[in-house]
Amino acid sequence: MSSKSSPDLMSKIVSLCKRRGFVYPSSEIYGGLNSCYDYGPLGTELKNNVKRYWMDSMTREFDDIEPLDSSILMHPRIWEASGHVANFTDPMVDCKTCKARFRADQLESATCGQKPSKNPQSCGGELTAPRLFNLMFKTFMGPVEDSSAVVFLRPETAQGIYVNFLNVMTTSRQKIPFGIAQIGKAFRNEITPGNFTFRTREFEQMEMQYFVKPGDDMNQFERWKEIRIQWHLGLGLKREKLRFHQHSEKELAHYAKAAFDIQYEFPFGWQEVEGIHNRSDFDLKQHEKFSGKKLSVFDEATKSPYVPFIVETSVGCDRATLTLLVDAYDEEPAAEGDEEGPRVVMRLHKSIAPVKIGVFPLMKKDGLPERATKIFETIKRKWRAQYDEAGSIGKRYRRMDEAGAPLCLTVDQEVGTITVRDRDSMKQERISESALVDYLTKYFGNP
Ligand code: GAP
């Protein structure tokens, strides 16, 4: 069995994430907080790179997409209009014996509170009748905690886009079709969070809402499906690990006319990474109704107003990052004579790798640290680099392999040259020191 399909792959990834500073359990010194995680130095760099890559791919590749950063707390009527107050619910059952709580529609994949290797009710308990549980987090605005002060932590960033649709269109002088892209936190009081950062209660979404003329919606829906799967492939994800899943009538969210998920094959099965939805004119019409404000645009051709349809692409940043970590994780048996043993390597795409370059002096003498430091100082503002002189050169390569750094530069006694070592092939080549910046620019592109 290859290491990539072994059942403990997730635990190896979780352990590497902790060891190398990608992801830590939140509030760890207090025993942790269920399903909350903190991104360490490498994880923060990686996630920021993913976000930058997404926003650039939206707003620089497409002239008709504008960025937005709307607030998390919004008028509570927005969530009535959107249907989240009434419909954003999961059916929930409780076990009367072990007190564990399950989603009634996911009992087959759940485990008993008393016998965690077995299905619910293995403790002999009876389940309560399903009750609907709203997933929105509620809080109060201002000093008085009564029903008039209730606000919600947004469960999706999309609504902030819809209520700003006319603001953005007017101020940026866009015309239909055009899109608005936003990255931001979302919160859901999930009944069954789990699988590391896959399903958490606080997460970040990268959502783009594309406003189109009714009738053009299914064309745009197909167009965005293709653009979005290409985006994941562009990050180096393996083609055979990605697929589309079409939502059946039963699976469709309350706002969706049609929906496809982009799924990835995780060690725990095929799961959604991104959703592409045709939301029709549902959201804008609801906001017209609840706010009393017109959200229509004027069609010059027919000389009549219409409410645009919306095609949405929505990907979780944390989930996309987890997908990249899972896809990148690799183990290689030790090469003959390699004292470091088997190699763990994160084959992250060079455009999102959190550290691009490791810089090492071969030894801590003969002026090598000084020369290596000078090289590090020359490149560090252009490419995220790490200087390391601790331990054997083999150990330093291994640390950089686990961090996913595509290149390592080693300075030895041969003055005027540097050895460049490629993470994936482990091939080394000697280049002239004066050609280094050109070499790196060619390899990484201009930062
Ligand atoms: N605006 C549409 C929307 O929110 P969704 O399918 O509920 O649609 C979109 O969520 C994406 O957000 C998912 O594909 C997933 O990547 C991410 N996501 C949703 N719930 C999540 C959770 N509890 N933890 C982490 N990511 C989540």
Side-chain angles (χ1 to χ4, degrees), residues 156 188 190 198 200 203 205 207 255 272-273 312 314 316:
E156 61 170 9
R188 295 181 188 178
E190 300 277 5
F198 178 81
T200 52
F203 54 97
Q205 287 187 314
E207 298 201 300
Y255 49 73
E272 169 185 353
V273 180
E312 164 180 71
S314 174

Side-chain angles (χ1 to χ4, degrees), residues 321-374:
T321 303
L322 178 64
T323 312
L324 290 162
L325 287 167
V326 169
D327 205 69
Y329 184 93
D330 202 6
E331 282 176 19
E332 281 176 358
E336 232 184 79
D338 188 340
E339 285 167 17
E340 300 305 325
R343 182 168 90 112
V344 173
V345 51
M346 296 300 280
R347 299 189 192 279
L348 290 164
H349 194 277
K350 61 185 176 186
S351 63
I352 44 128
V355 179
K356 308 290 184 207
I357 306 158
V359 184
F360 317 142
L362 184 62
M363 287 179 288
K364 276 203 264 183
K365 58 180 190 181
D366 299 339
L368 302 187
E370 290 74 11
R371 278 178 52 216
T373 306
K374 208 168 139 220

Side-chain angles (χ1 to χ4, degrees), residues 282-307:
F282 173 84
D283 299 276
L284 291 185
K285 281 214 167 131
Q286 284 292 100
H287 287 305
E288 277 199 331
K289 197 164 123 195
F290 279 71
S291 69
K293 300 279 183 327
K294 283 262 161 270
L295 293 175
S296 54
V297 296
F298 193 73
D299 186 354
E300 288 297 339
T302 61
K303 301 283 177 223
S304 55
Y306 69 90
V307 174

